[in-house]
Amino acid sequence: MIVELLFWIFLGIIIYTYLLFWFVLYLGVKIRKHKPIIEDPSYEPEVCLFIAAYNEKEYLHAKMQNCLSLDYPKQKLRIVWVTDGSDDGSVDVLKKYQNIEVYHQPQRNGKIGAINRGMLLVSSPIIIFSDCNSILTTDSIREIVRYMSDPRVGCVAGEKRIVGSTQETAAVSGERIYWKYESCLKKYESKLDSAIGAAGELFAIRKDLFSEVEENIILDDFIISMRIASLGYLIAYAPNACATETASLNIQEELKRKIRIASGCMQALVKLKHLLNPFKYGWLSVNYISHKVLRWTLVPIAFPIVFVLNMYLSSVQDHTIYLALFFFQLVLYAFVLLGNLIEEKSTKFKILTVPYYIYLMNYSIYLGAIRYFKDAQSVNWDKSARS
């Protein structure tokens, strides 16, 4: 029966993407003979901590104190700020600090414009990108650099952590759990072959592997890191190099952020279409398709299809499996509604927020795709309010 076949195919896509892919990575690590990345703790090249900022005055002092506390030889650590368009007094604040470089221009060309301009002005062999509102652990630079001692590594992805409390809102809980899950996937991807992408809060590249990025790019961190991987270099994952930041203030702010990201995902599918060829790129393609492409394309479509087909099959089939699965879906969507009701309330039952956050992610894909195909997504980032 074609309806049953379609049901199991789309259900399989969802289960594979969120659950079985992790198991595939685990088996791949156990089975595949992969030369581990060489980590040399004594490797200490000059590095550039590169921060592109727009009107971040409220975060500058905390970020600078964090930068100055990093455990790395001061004479080998260049701190560079690029502040295109900032008009909130950021430049005046930064000029009070010594031994840093500030490159400012009054025109605002978006983050990627600032990166392209700033990269022409720095010469350190390793560039470490970080966001202004992200606080790095003291040994982050050393943790990243030790992976760069292996010439096969072209990019190092740090770990993003969301700061929360024991009693936190649904928005915070969902985002924290999501990033823990992402970190787990990156850990095994890196062990198997190469991590898929890097978060802009903290990642590093070799300067000589950078090429100017198109001005309309939305997800600059993802595009930069994946293009380096497509050249045959590894994206290493450094779990002990951590960037922490607070969660979005509420679900509305998180949705705003995710819609922009989703629009960038659609763009990335086009820009990185060559990576869909596993015969050329091997595990990099397999991981990219499994980790990102399915999430951005088939999974959002699969959820409503599975629900409708399951409702139909449970009414015409005698098999209890369909009735049980439909009841399970109803419970999950009940948790989605519950998450919506308690999104601004503190909760100790963090697991209850997961279905709601997954729903939010997939809903944002639809809105982001519409925005992308209407060419309505600005490259300039409208900051989300943070808790």
Side-chain angles (χ1 to χ4, degrees), residues 2 84 243 251 263 274 312:
I2 187 66
D84 287 13
I251 288 294
S263 183
H274 56 285
Y312 170 76

Side-chain angles (χ1 to χ4, degrees), residues 5-34:
L5 180 61
L6 288 174
F7 170 76
W8 288 110
I9 288 175
F10 282 105
L11 180 61
I13 289 171
I14 295 172
I15 293 173
Y16 171 76
T17 302
Y18 287 118
L19 297 175
L20 291 183
F21 173 51
W22 178 90
F23 187 64
V24 169
L25 288 174
Y26 179 79
L27 287 181
V29 170
K30 295 295 183 182
I31 295 173
R32 188 188 180 206
K33 294 182 179 179
H34 178 62

Side-chain angles (χ1 to χ4, degrees), residues 178-306:
Y178 167 75
W179 279 107
K180 286 182 179 180
Y181 171 71
E182 280 289 294
S183 297
C184 181
L185 291 181
K186 287 182 181 295
K187 173 184 175 182
Y188 280 98
E189 287 170 347
S190 183
K191 286 184 176 182
L192 179 62
D193 181 76
S194 180
I196 300 302
E201 286 77 8
L202 178 60
F203 77 105
I205 66 170
R206 296 188 188 277
K207 172 67 164 59
D208 58 1
L209 297 181
F210 178 83
S211 57
E212 185 174 344
V213 183
E214 303 93 305
E215 293 182 355
N216 67 334
I217 291 297
I218 300 168
L219 300 183
D220 50 90
D221 46 7
F222 189 77
I223 293 294
I224 290 172
S225 56
M226 290 303 290
R227 282 180 172 170
I228 288 176
S230 70
L231 296 174
Y233 291 88
L234 298 176
I235 301 176
Y237 174 60
N240 294 322
C242 304
T244 62
E245 66 178 33
T246 55
S248 298
L249 181 63
N250 51 46
I251 288 294
Q252 288 71 34
E253 292 296 320
E254 178 67 4
L255 184 61
K256 179 174 73 173
R257 189 178 73 88
K258 285 206 168 295
I259 291 173
R260 181 183 187 274
I261 291 174
S263 183
C265 292
M266 298 300 107
Q267 184 187 61
L269 285 173
V270 177
K271 297 293 184 180
L272 301 174
K273 58 182 179 296
H274 56 285
L275 288 179
L276 300 177
N277 183 359
F279 297 102
K280 182 177 181 180
Y281 294 100
W283 277 106
L284 180 65
S285 287
V286 173
N287 292 344
Y288 173 51
I289 293 169
S290 301
H291 189 166
K292 298 296 185 181
V293 176
L294 290 178
R295 282 197 208 175
W296 299 342
T297 56
L298 294 181
V299 168
I301 298 171
F303 273 111
I305 290 177
V306 166

Side-chain angles (χ1 to χ4, degrees), residues 19-283:
L19 297 175
L20 291 183
F21 173 51
W22 178 90
F23 187 64
V24 169
L25 288 174
Y26 179 79
L27 287 181
V29 170
K30 295 295 183 182
I31 295 173
R32 188 188 180 206
K33 294 182 179 179
H34 178 62
K35 184 180 178 181
I37 293 172
I38 299 171
E39 302 173 36
D40 183 0
S42 64
Y43 183 60
E44 288 186 348
E46 179 185 278
V47 302
C48 170
L49 183 58
F50 189 110
I51 308 162
Y54 169 73
N55 284 354
E56 299 278 13
K57 184 178 179 180
E58 60 183 306
Y59 295 107
L60 293 183
H61 285 301
K63 184 65 175 182
M64 276 305 308
Q65 292 303 312
N66 178 231
C67 291
L68 296 174
S69 70
L70 296 174
D71 177 24
Y72 202 74
K74 302 304 179 185
Q75 70 276 14
K76 294 184 179 181
L77 175 60
R78 294 179 62 187
I79 301 174
V80 172
W81 289 79
V82 183
T83 60
D84 287 13
S86 290
D87 55 8
D88 65 342
S90 296
V91 178
D92 294 330
V93 173
L94 289 172
K95 284 182 177 179
K96 295 178 181 179
Y97 290 91
Q98 298 179 342
N99 301 321
I100 68 170
E101 300 170 47
V102 182
Y103 300 106
H104 174 72
Q105 71 172 21
Q107 298 82 19
R108 186 185 181 191
N109 295 319
K111 185 178 180 181
I112 194 58
I115 290 175
N116 283 333
R117 185 172 73 91
M119 288 295 283
L120 296 175
L121 304 172
V122 298
S123 58
S124 302
I126 295 175
I127 311 297
I128 301 176
F129 296 98
S130 180
D131 286 345
C132 184
N133 64 333
S134 299
I135 299 299
L136 311 184
T137 48
T138 305
D139 56 351
S140 290
I141 304 297
R142 287 196 179 277
E143 288 294 329
I144 284 175
V145 167
R146 65 192 296 174
Y147 288 90
M148 283 292 193
S149 63
D150 191 323
R152 296 175 300 159
V153 174
C155 173
V156 179
E159 177 168 316
K160 175 179 176 178
R161 291 180 182 173
I162 302 300
V163 178
S165 60
T166 55
Q167 291 193 350
E168 53 195 22
T169 65
V172 178
S173 296
E175 193 174 354
R176 286 189 69 200
I177 293 172
Y178 167 75
W179 279 107
K180 286 182 179 180
Y181 171 71
E182 280 289 294
S183 297
C184 181
L185 291 181
K186 287 182 181 295
K187 173 184 175 182
Y188 280 98
E189 287 170 347
S190 183
K191 286 184 176 182
L192 179 62
D193 181 76
S194 180
I196 300 302
E201 286 77 8
L202 178 60
F203 77 105
I205 66 170
R206 296 188 188 277
K207 172 67 164 59
D208 58 1
L209 297 181
F210 178 83
S211 57
E212 185 174 344
V213 183
E214 303 93 305
E215 293 182 355
N216 67 334
I217 291 297
I218 300 168
L219 300 183
D220 50 90
D221 46 7
F222 189 77
I223 293 294
I224 290 172
S225 56
M226 290 303 290
R227 282 180 172 170
I228 288 176
S230 70
L231 296 174
Y233 291 88
L234 298 176
I235 301 176
Y237 174 60
N240 294 322
C242 304
T244 62
E245 66 178 33
T246 55
S248 298
L249 181 63
N250 51 46
I251 288 294
Q252 288 71 34
E253 292 296 320
E254 178 67 4
L255 184 61
K256 179 174 73 173
R257 189 178 73 88
K258 285 206 168 295
I259 291 173
R260 181 183 187 274
I261 291 174
S263 183
C265 292
M266 298 300 107
Q267 184 187 61
L269 285 173
V270 177
K271 297 293 184 180
L272 301 174
K273 58 182 179 296
H274 56 285
L275 288 179
L276 300 177
N277 183 359
F279 297 102
K280 182 177 181 180
Y281 294 100
W283 277 106

